[in-house]
Amino acid sequence: MKYHNSKTTQIVFIIGFLFSFLISFAQQHHQGKIKGQITTSNGKPVAGVNIILKVSKFSTTTGADGSFKFDKVGSNIYTIQASLKGYETIEQEISVSNNGTTTLSLLLKASNAKQVRDDSQLDEIIVSASRKVETLSKTPSSVTVIKANDIDNLSIVSPNIANVLAYAVPGLGSATNNTGNYGQTLRGRNPLVLIDGIPQSTPLKSAGREIRSIDPSVIERIEVIKGATAIYGNGADGGLINYITKSSKTQNKFSGYSEAGTNGNIKGDSVIGYRLLQQFYGKMKRFNYFVGGVYEKTGVFRDAKGEVISPEYGLGETKTYNVFTKLGYDLTDKQRIDFMYNYFSSNQDSDFILKNGVYGVSPAIGVLGNRLGSDEGTRYNHNINLQYINKNIFGKTNLTANLYYQDFLTIFSNSAFFYGTGQSQTASTKKGVRVYLNTPVIISTNVTGDVTYGFDLLNDKTNQKLVDGRVWVPNIDMVNLAPYAQLSTQFFGDWTLKAGLRAENIKINIEDYNTLATGANGAGSVAVKGGELNYEAFVFNAGLRYSKFKFFNPFISFSQAFSIFDLGRVLTAAKQDAISKLETEPIIVNNYEGGFSSQLGKFNMSAAYYYSTSKLGTNLIQVDGFLLAERLPERVWGYEIQADYQVIKELTIGGNYAYVQGRGDKDGDGRFYGDNDIYLKSNRIPPVKMTGYAKFGNERLNVEVYWMYVGDRDYFKPNAKGAYAIGEGPIKSFNLWNLATAYKVTSQIRVKLGIENLLNKDYYTTTSQFYGTNANYTRGNGTRFNLAVGYSF
């Protein structure tokens, strides 16, 4: 089928014409200024710091007041480096515009036994929103950046990246406390998860394993772009989560970090778990490297009553491996090549089996027994990325090109859903090329900017089979070619306008297959003829931000996302004899948003309201035992507020609040509150979430307290037998408190202690509540400790 009547040749012509028109304004000799000041953590200026503007002729040292200045710098994007013996080297991306002045305030930190951690300077720099370096204050969209220091501190409580995100990101559902992220949506829709831009999500057949796909110890920062986005393509209905991995920041030839820890429950007899981590990093002339490995084996997980938590998709008795390598080499002053490889594996080997609970009364728990089938979990997730950068490849244009590969396999628990029982496994292999260029644009003395343009080419092969060889979802082979362009302009220095478009050209081949039998001798199986599906569509985005005043920095934006929603679900439930007869219409989401950020002295605040629509929905309903998407018009809306305040130098308090709601137009009359219209289910729409924190830190001691409140959501009624459909179970509110502490014994040794569920709250996760079944009604973790000692050298 065709989605829209546009042709690929027309798409390429239009975008090519846009490139030519915009680049024709680019000039080679427009200049700006850079000025800045270097201070230490106690606020004192630092003299004699070496300042280098990389890939340029500019270098200097700071004066007695810690200041430096460069005049007549060509408009472009640069990397500025600040270094001084005994302190960590700082490198930061900056943008210089025509006739503008880029002002920097950099904090120089004393080196910690040669270990360099990039805990600052990146809070205002993002790359994921437009695929280029830009400041957060000039980005007309909602963005949450989680820096390395925050990732590290939240990981003290639990080294589970899903938990880290739940506490740090407004609008993201609370963590599920199991291997999957089913129900952990972003603003009521599914996010696209990336590792260094490599897609981890499996939109052709959702596996629900993309959030927990990498160990947090190798993540430098996480950029969360909220709301439908046209920047990265298929699957970004709710936004995107990009894990940006670490690279060596030290100037030393050889440095490293070692950590060993243990963890377990406070209440009940539990097997203690342990975690080992080793990293090496350094720089030798033009070459730099970062390699590391993590091995973790968890013990038995227990709830607040001391009961063993159900092993079904649980995190107890799980072995996790993560191997990471990033190598970089400066070919010339303007050219660089980087290689990244990450391997992640997490498999459960439990001595317990499920004992069903009674929904709403008592929890499902684990009891000693022999688990049938293969161990559940992600067998492997390989990610390889080769990146080439050429600054000023022609004129002032920068080029970045990536070749990437992902190979993923996860196995689900043994289930009676299949005739004769069985275990399914989702396999996905992605190969892709990303090419993008960035060219400065000078339209007039008061209107400057740049255009980012290029293409994405992705081949995604996904299937879901049973371990015994039966085919549940046949091989789906997708090729997606998507040229795009993003224009960013600055008007009169304070206004930023961004606009862009992306052309999706998707071809999907599906092989002939038979649906799974529901009885003996192939009973119930349907022979389905495969074929080819074609989709062509434009998606568009535009946004405006005003950044003159720090106390009020507002923005408005509109963005679309294109998605082929979980095609595998349609195939498994096929009643027709050919692919061409199935409902495979894609989804386009329109996201409208307005918000602002504000800085008043030591007080920071941001807020946003959003509203998204789609003519076709993804609300899951159960039909003949299958969960299928209900293709009705949807509206999702909500708002978020985030704030923090520095009480004293060592103490900061803050938190965030997020409200999400969604409705479906059941009767298609264009209204969403008629008698027949519905609320979207809780596997899509999370309840209210509120978090708070207090962070105290000095040179030796760091203490952080975290609080999370998850509210009620109860809009659905049980059937005549008193049972709830999946996603409709009532959610009751709960509060959780966590504690993270770290103490620097010496300049090289650091002891860390984290306490999860500090008050031993007896609660049920949102997932276990909205599922509405006896088997899934599991409690969350009781009080758990995580004790570790780290040594840097």
Side-chain angles (χ1 to χ4, degrees):
M1 70 181 218
K2 292 280 185 181
Y3 189 72
H4 289 182
N5 295 320
S6 57
K7 302 296 184 182
T8 302
T9 53
Q10 294 174 328
I11 293 168
V12 174
F13 174 78
I14 293 170
I15 295 178
F17 177 78
L18 176 63
F19 296 161
S20 300
F21 175 76
L22 294 172
I23 296 171
S24 67
F25 286 103
Q27 300 178 18
Q28 304 298 319
H29 304 293
H30 293 270
Q31 300 172 336
K33 298 179 180 179
I34 302 172
K35 65 178 182 179
Q37 185 181 41
I38 309 292
T39 59
T40 60
S41 57
N42 60 11
K44 293 182 179 180
V46 186
V49 180
N50 297 311
I51 308 295
I52 298 174
L53 195 63
K54 301 179 77 173
V55 196
S56 80
K57 63 182 181 180
F58 294 95
S59 64
T60 188
T61 58
T62 56
D65 61 351
S67 66
F68 65 92
K69 184 178 181 181
F70 295 133
D71 293 321
K72 297 182 179 180
V73 181
S75 57
N76 206 341
I77 296 173
Y78 297 91
T79 298
I80 194 165
Q81 183 185 88
S83 61
L84 182 66
K85 186 176 181 180
Y87 292 87
E88 296 179 2
T89 298
I90 298 172
E91 286 193 2
Q92 178 173 319
E93 297 275 6
I94 62 171
S95 178
V96 178
S97 60
N98 179 39
N99 295 326
T101 300
T102 301
T103 303
L104 302 171
S105 180
L106 303 179
L107 183 67
L108 205 62
K109 294 185 177 182
S111 107
N112 180 13
K114 302 181 182 179
Q115 180 190 4
V116 176
R117 291 183 179 273
D118 189 19
D119 294 335
S120 60
Q121 311 309 322
L122 291 172
D123 56 337
E124 293 185 355
I125 297 293
I126 56 173
V127 296
S128 300
S130 297
R131 301 212 200 193
K132 69 181 185 68
V133 175
E134 59 186 350
T135 58
L136 187 59
S137 62
K138 293 184 180 293
T139 303
S141 57
S142 286
V143 180
T144 295
V145 179
I146 313 172
K147 298 179 291 182
N149 187 56
D150 294 320
I151 297 171
D152 182 52
N153 289 335
L154 284 164
S155 296
I156 293 175
V157 176
S158 170
N160 178 351
I161 194 63
N163 291 342
V164 171
L165 288 166
Y167 275 87
V169 181
L172 184 73
S174 57
T176 62
N177 199 40
N178 59 36
T179 56
N181 47 265
Y182 179 67
Q184 196 172 11
T185 58
L186 181 59
R187 290 186 169 183
R189 298 187 185 272
N190 293 317
L192 175 64
V193 180
L194 310 156
I195 295 177
D196 286 346
I198 304 173
Q200 304 303 300
S201 304
T202 53
L204 297 178
K205 178 59 188 84
S206 177
R209 299 293 184 269
E210 57 267 30
I211 288 183
R212 190 172 170 268
S213 58
I214 189 173
D215 191 85
S217 65
V218 298
I219 301 175
E220 183 172 282
R221 68 184 188 276
I222 305 172
E223 296 181 356
V224 183
I225 315 300
K226 290 174 281 186
T229 176
I231 307 297
Y232 285 87
N234 187 27
D237 297 349
L240 64 93
I241 300 172
N242 194 5
Y243 302 137
I244 299 174
T245 61
K246 289 183 177 179
S247 57
S248 177
K249 300 295 184 182
T250 182
Q251 298 299 307
N252 300 306
K253 292 183 178 180
F254 182 75
S255 299
Y257 179 72
S258 306
E259 184 176 294
T262 184
N263 53 73
N265 277 84
I266 301 296
K267 188 171 184 177
D269 296 329
S270 295
V271 177
I272 299 298
Y274 56 89
R275 176 180 168 89
L276 303 173
L277 180 153
Q278 181 62 62
Q279 296 174 345
F280 302 104
Y281 37 84
K283 181 177 182 180
M284 292 174 283
K285 296 182 180 180
R286 292 180 176 269
F287 174 75
N288 66 283
Y289 64 93
F290 191 113
V291 296
V294 174
Y295 172 70
E296 180 179 13
K297 185 180 186 304
T298 60
V300 176
F301 278 30
R302 293 180 180 269
D303 61 28
K305 301 293 187 181
E307 296 279 7
V308 175
I309 294 176
S310 166
E312 295 296 299
Y313 303 115
L315 295 173
E317 299 174 285
T318 298
K319 296 178 181 180
T320 300
Y321 302 85
N322 199 100
V323 178
F324 175 75
T325 299
K326 183 177 278 187
L327 311 175
Y329 186 77
D330 294 318
L331 300 171
T332 68
D333 290 340
K334 296 182 180 181
Q335 299 181 69
R336 178 175 174 83
I337 189 167
D338 289 283
F339 171 83
M340 185 277 290
Y341 168 73
N342 193 79
Y343 165 79
F344 177 84
S345 174
S346 179
N347 296 283
Q348 185 187 71
D349 183 13
S350 178
D351 293 327
F352 292 84
I353 59 174
L354 169 68
K355 178 183 178 181
N356 279 339
V358 178
Y359 180 74
V361 178
S362 59
I365 61 173
V367 295
L368 289 172
N370 182 32
R371 288 181 65 79
L372 300 177
S374 302
D375 292 341
E376 181 271 329
T378 297
R379 283 290 182 270
Y380 53 78
N381 184 21
H382 299 279
N383 282 272
I384 301 173
N385 185 34
L386 182 64
Q387 177 174 270
Y388 170 73
I389 297 174
N390 191 323
K391 297 184 178 180
N392 297 359
I393 187 171
F394 58 86
K396 296 294 183 180
T397 296
N398 296 333
L399 165 71
T400 301
N402 294 81
L403 292 172
Y404 64 83
Y405 173 81
Q406 189 225 14
D407 193 15
F408 166 84
L409 175 69
T410 192
I411 298 178
F412 300 92
S413 289
N414 195 70
S415 173
F417 177 82
F418 309 104
Y419 173 71
T421 72
Q423 279 181 278
S424 70
Q425 54 185 2
T426 296
S428 178
T429 302
K430 301 182 183 73
K431 294 175 285 188
V433 179
R434 297 195 310 268
V435 175
Y436 63 94
L437 300 100
N438 181 267
T439 301
V441 176
I442 310 298
I443 298 176
S444 70
T445 56
N446 292 319
V447 183
T448 63
D450 61 80
V451 60
T452 301
Y453 51 99
F455 68 88
D456 291 339
L457 177 61
L458 169 65
N459 177 217
D460 183 347
K461 296 180 179 179
T462 300
N463 65 57
Q464 187 169 12
K465 300 178 180 180
L466 303 194
V467 173
D468 60 20
R470 287 178 285 171
V471 175
W472 198 25
V473 177
N475 291 324
I476 307 173
D477 189 346
M478 180 187 78
V479 176
N480 184 7
L481 173 62
Y484 65 90
Q486 296 287 327
L487 172 67
S488 177
T489 59
Q490 287 77 49
F491 296 87
F492 304 102
D494 301 316
W495 293 91
T496 299
L497 173 66
K498 290 175 63 176
L501 54 84
R502 179 184 175 95
E504 301 284 359
N505 298 269
I506 298 177
K507 179 187 291 185
I508 296 178
N509 282 295
I510 302 173
E511 61 184 19
D512 298 344
Y513 72 104
N514 294 303
T515 63
L516 281 183
T518 57
N521 302 316
S525 178
V526 177
V528 183
K529 182 176 178 55
E532 182 177 291
L533 302 174
N534 293 281
Y535 306 94
E536 294 182 356
F538 278 115
V539 285
F540 174 77
N541 67 279
L544 181 67
R545 188 149 200 160
Y546 183 63
S547 56
K548 182 175 182 178
F549 306 109
K550 286 188 175 182
F551 67 86
F552 185 63
N553 188 320
F555 74 90
I556 55 173
S557 70
F558 168 78
S559 186
Q560 295 178 308
F562 177 89
S563 180
I564 302 170
F565 173 73
D566 211 347
L567 187 59
R569 287 192 185 275
V570 178
L571 302 183
T572 59
K575 302 298 183 183
Q576 305 292 332
D577 61 359
I579 294 295
S580 59
K581 299 178 182 180
L582 304 180
E583 175 57 73
T584 59
E585 195 80 1
I587 300 165
I588 288 185
V589 176
N590 302 300
N591 186 76
Y592 308 84
E593 184 173 5
F596 70 91
S597 60
S598 177
Q599 182 178 339
L600 294 169
K602 297 180 180 180
F603 176 76
N604 294 281
M605 179 181 176
S606 63
Y609 175 84
Y610 57 90
Y611 178 83
S612 71
T613 65
S614 59
K615 293 181 180 180
L616 295 174
T618 60
N619 199 48
L620 294 179
I621 56 173
Q622 198 157 12
V623 179
D624 297 330
F626 294 92
L627 282 176
L628 298 176
E630 192 174 17
R631 311 310 297 272
L632 74 170
E634 293 181 350
R635 289 183 181 177
V636 178
W637 67 94
Y639 56 89
E640 301 163 1
I641 302 172
Q642 188 162 357
D644 65 72
Y645 178 70
Q646 187 178 6
V647 181
I648 56 176
K649 179 183 175 182
E650 296 85 3
L651 177 64
T652 301
I653 59 174
N656 59 65
Y657 177 91
Y659 170 84
V660 188
Q661 191 55 273
R663 296 277 295 180
D665 180 11
K666 187 80 171 180
D667 51 19
D669 63 357
R671 298 183 300 149
F672 287 81
Y673 278 93
D675 293 339
N676 296 319
D677 300 324
I678 61 171
Y679 281 98
L680 299 183
K681 297 187 178 187
S682 296
N683 58 336
R684 282 274 310 282
I685 308 299
V688 164
K689 187 184 74 173
M690 190 185 313
T691 69
Y693 59 81
K695 301 180 180 182
F696 173 86
N698 56 34
E699 293 183 0
R700 283 194 174 274
L701 178 64
N702 190 71
V703 179
E704 300 189 358
V705 178
Y706 300 94
W707 164 73
M708 178 185 288
Y709 167 79
V710 176
D712 298 303
R713 193 169 195 267
D714 185 4
Y715 293 106
F716 309 99
K717 296 180 180 180
N719 61 24
K721 296 181 179 180
Y724 287 91
I726 292 176
E728 295 187 358
I731 297 174
K732 296 181 180 179
S733 64
F734 57 86
N735 288 271
L736 295 175
W737 292 86
N738 294 338
L739 173 68
T741 63
Y743 182 74
K744 189 182 295 184
V745 180
T746 69
S747 60
Q748 294 177 286
I749 300 174
R750 191 169 184 240
V751 178
K752 301 187 291 186
L753 174 63
I755 304 293
E756 179 183 357
N757 193 357
L758 183 65
L759 303 181
N760 201 35
K761 174 69 176 180
D762 181 15
Y763 76 101
Y764 292 83
T765 64
T766 56
T767 306
S768 70
Q769 294 188 68
F770 72 56
Y771 244 107
T773 65
N774 294 333
N776 294 98
Y777 194 57
T778 59
R779 289 193 181 111
N781 288 335
T783 301
R784 287 182 57 81
F785 72 89
N786 184 25
L787 177 65
V789 178
Y791 174 74
S792 56
F793 55 92

